Amino acid sequence: MTYEEVFQQAKDIFMKADVSSIQEHLAFQFNIIGEGEGAFYAEVNNGVLSVEPYEYYDRDAIFTCTADTLFKLAAKKLDPILAFTIGKLKVEGSFEKAMLLQKFL
């Protein structure tokens, strides 16, 4: 799977999320490692979500994982806390805001 395919699949998943109740600003960067390696970000601003294929420097949290792990999280086949605990998901930044990732998936 190429980076472009990983990004498009992730964007398709994220854009289904209802973030209209999130009125604060949230910005998450995703660093994909391994197959399809690259970075993209998801940002919520006043209940509107955007997902773009760039690094985001004013982010609240960075998630680092493989594309496979990201898609398992999105499919609810892997719990984010478990993924973090067993080292499949690395998180940097605000853990409080990182917990809001579940609203995206």
Side-chain angles (χ1 to χ4, degrees), residues 24-30 59-64 73 80-81 84 89-105:
E24 64 184 297
H25 179 265
L26 288 177
F28 298 137
Q29 181 171 313
F30 295 85
R59 59 207 168 223
D60 296 302
I62 302 172
F63 299 95
T64 302
L73 291 167
I81 304 297
F84 175 77
L89 177 65
K90 293 182 179 144
V91 180
E92 297 174 47
S94 169
F95 281 87
E96 180 182 332
K97 289 193 175 186
M99 296 300 291
L100 296 173
L101 175 66
Q102 295 176 6
K103 292 188 182 264
F104 287 74
L105 303 174

Side-chain angles (χ1 to χ4, degrees), residues 9-96:
Q9 188 173 342
K11 183 175 182 174
D12 292 345
I13 292 167
F14 281 35
M15 292 308 290
K16 293 176 186 172
D18 178 9
V19 297
S20 60
S21 66
I22 302 174
Q23 292 305 308
E24 64 184 297
H25 179 265
L26 288 177
F28 298 137
Q29 181 171 313
F30 295 85
N31 293 336
I32 303 301
I33 55 174
E35 185 179 358
E37 187 169 310
F40 67 92
Y41 73 89
E43 176 186 36
V44 177
N45 198 3
N46 294 319
V48 178
L49 175 66
S50 54
V51 181
E52 298 296 334
Y54 312 108
E55 289 190 41
Y56 194 92
Y57 295 101
D58 189 21
R59 59 207 168 223
D60 296 302
I62 302 172
F63 299 95
T64 302
C65 63
T66 64
D68 182 58
T69 296
L70 179 63
F71 296 139
K72 283 181 180 175
L73 291 167
K76 310 259 188 266
K77 293 181 179 177
L78 180 60
D79 179 72
I81 304 297
L82 176 63
F84 175 77
T85 303
I86 63 176
K88 289 189 173 275
L89 177 65
K90 293 182 179 144
V91 180
E92 297 174 47
S94 169
F95 281 87
E96 180 182 332

